[in-house]
Amino acid sequence: MNAFSRLAAVVSLASLFPLAALAGEVEVLHWWTSGGEKRAADTLKKLVEEKGHTWKDFAVAGGGGEAAMTVLKTRAVSGNPPSAAQIKGPDIQEWGELGLLAELDEVADEGKWDTLLPKQVANVMKYDGHYVAVPVNVHRVNWLWINPEVFKKAGATPPTSLDEFFAAADKLKAAGFIPIAHGGQPWQDGTVFEDLVFSILGPLGYHKAFVEQDKATLTSDKMVEVFATLKKLRGYIDADAAGRDWNSATGLLIDGKAGMQLMGDWAKSEWSAAGKVAGKDYQCLPFPGTQGSFAYNIDSLAMFKLSDEDDRKAQNDLARTVMDPQFQQFFNQNKGSIPVRLDQDMSSFDTCAQQSMKDFKEAAAGDGLQPSLAHGMAASSYVQGAVFDVVTNFFNDPAADPKKAVQQLAAAIAAVQ
């Protein structure tokens, strides 16, 4: 080897040192295991690996993440947490109190997260004033999905109020369609209940009931009206709803057997998979009475304290990548949600996502942006479970009394606070 070749080899080798010094491992615990979710997670892996790091996938199947949280607790207690874990809402605060989460302020300052995120979202990602988690997306929960062809056949009009909602349901029923496609599972019952609370009590009343858990609001005449309306709604659901998965309920709309479904924007992935076009084959409307309001569910990755410096650099690069516009676009187009960045270009998104982002920004500017109780954002899992128990028992009991239900609701929440 001549002198020039030796010099070239040294220069070539030296160029690898910065990459080697930066290379670390990120182990990510998540439950993005189906269809579009998995494609989105694989993209995040690819982007992190392009920065020279190693991605160790720790996927635990189960839509709600209960199994993943069980695994995470075992790992954390033994002093061996992953780099990042899919944790959301109040649970982030609980992990923060245990002193296990890493601060991301340096990355957040560099990326100007405080200006990119609505303050309501930023606050969820912080513990004790410090960023400890990065938001991946924003789901809107208070959507009403309708099949316009079914509506046309029934002579029904897309509703903008609860009165119009029940008028449309009557026409759908009379025409032989299932008015409301529903899956009789506690979280789905809770989603319907939450929509009605939002509609009847408004965003501030909703906040007092579920975030502040104010007894006077929980037992108010308006809450009695919510339960009475829930009972009325029950009459428009078919007899086979018990135990049905949400995507099977969406399938009833896609197949033209049902007219409406109350479900978050993840339902859109089913329509997309069936080759249907938003605004043409299906319509998304804010649930009647919740126009201007936005019940949110946010997926986020909380970062755990690590001892290895290279792994910490990899962890920071993971956080940067999640907030990158390229990833935000790809992930959310696959998942049905919208990006968390307020400056995101939405031109390549469908009409439902564009409407969702518009409503998200408007709601964030006032009191309309509120955390979903049914999806773990508004209160602890104990409070959520207490509400689900009362709501599902009421929903499945034809003789249930709305006035008794509000007392049971307040008592159940008080028992777990």
Side-chain angles (χ1 to χ4, degrees), residues 2-158:
N2 62 30
F4 181 77
S5 297
R6 278 198 300 273
L7 178 63
V10 169
V11 170
S12 173
L13 198 60
S15 70
L16 293 175
F17 287 153
L19 183 61
L22 282 170
E25 179 183 270
V26 282
E27 184 181 18
V28 183
L29 171 66
H30 64 89
W31 57 91
W32 295 314
T33 54
S34 64
E37 291 180 343
K38 187 176 185 309
R39 282 195 300 277
D42 287 345
T43 299
L44 182 56
K45 173 186 175 182
K46 179 169 160 286
L47 292 170
V48 169
E49 287 176 342
E50 282 176 2
K51 294 180 184 289
H53 305 299
T54 304
W55 173 288
K56 190 174 178 183
D57 203 55
F58 191 1
V60 181
E66 292 86 359
M69 287 302 98
T70 302
V71 174
L72 178 61
K73 283 168 187 168
T74 305
R75 286 278 303 269
V77 167
S78 64
N80 181 33
S83 311
Q86 189 181 344
I87 302 173
K88 62 183 194 177
D91 287 348
I92 293 172
Q93 303 304 309
E94 290 184 16
W95 284 101
E97 285 168 16
L98 294 172
L100 295 172
L101 299 184
E103 291 179 7
L104 296 169
D105 292 343
E106 191 178 320
V107 178
D109 289 345
E110 165 202 306
K112 299 183 171 59
W113 291 7
D114 275 343
T115 56
L116 285 178
L117 303 173
K119 67 179 186 304
Q120 298 95 322
V121 175
N123 289 341
V124 177
M125 300 302 126
K126 293 177 181 178
Y127 173 72
D128 200 21
H130 301 282
Y131 278 100
V132 292
V134 55
V136 181
N137 62 348
V138 179
H139 278 296
R140 187 182 198 174
V141 178
N142 59 315
W143 276 126
L144 176 70
W145 304 90
I146 68 171
N147 182 322
E149 186 63 29
V150 170
F151 262 63
K152 189 178 174 185
K153 287 177 181 174
T157 306

Side-chain angles (χ1 to χ4, degrees), residues 156-236:
T157 306
T160 59
S161 67
L162 283 177
D163 285 344
E164 290 177 6
F165 173 73
F166 286 115
D170 282 330
K171 288 197 171 181
L172 290 163
K173 195 173 188 176
F177 296 104
I178 298 168
I180 302 166
H182 181 68
Q185 297 168 338
W187 73 268
Q188 293 190 64
D189 298 343
T191 299
V192 172
F193 176 70
E194 175 179 292
D195 283 342
L196 291 173
V197 173
F198 229 138
S199 179
I200 293 168
L201 275 73
L204 289 177
Y206 174 97
H207 189 91
K208 283 192 81 67
F210 292 149
V211 179
E212 297 176 29
Q213 291 137 42
D214 174 64
K215 187 179 179 183
T217 306
L218 291 168
T219 57
S220 65
D221 290 344
K222 287 279 189 188
M223 194 62 82
V224 173
E225 186 183 336
V226 169
F227 277 99
T229 309
L230 182 64
K231 190 169 192 169
K232 182 178 181 180
L233 187 149
R234 182 71 181 82
Y236 295 96

Side-chain angles (χ1 to χ4, degrees), residues 398-412:
D401 178 359
K403 288 184 178 175
K404 282 184 183 170
V406 298
Q407 299 300 330
Q408 289 167 342
L409 182 68

Side-chain angles (χ1 to χ4, degrees), residues 54 140 195 256 260 316 380 396 398:
T54 304
R140 187 182 198 174
D195 283 342
M260 300 185 281
N316 286 341
S380 72
N396 293 313

Side-chain angles (χ1 to χ4, degrees), residues 271-294:
W271 289 96
S272 300
K276 305 296 183 182
V277 178
K280 176 173 164 276
D281 300 311
Y282 64 99
Q283 290 180 343
C284 50
L285 310 171
F287 181 72
T290 70
Q291 294 89 331
S293 297
F294 193 113

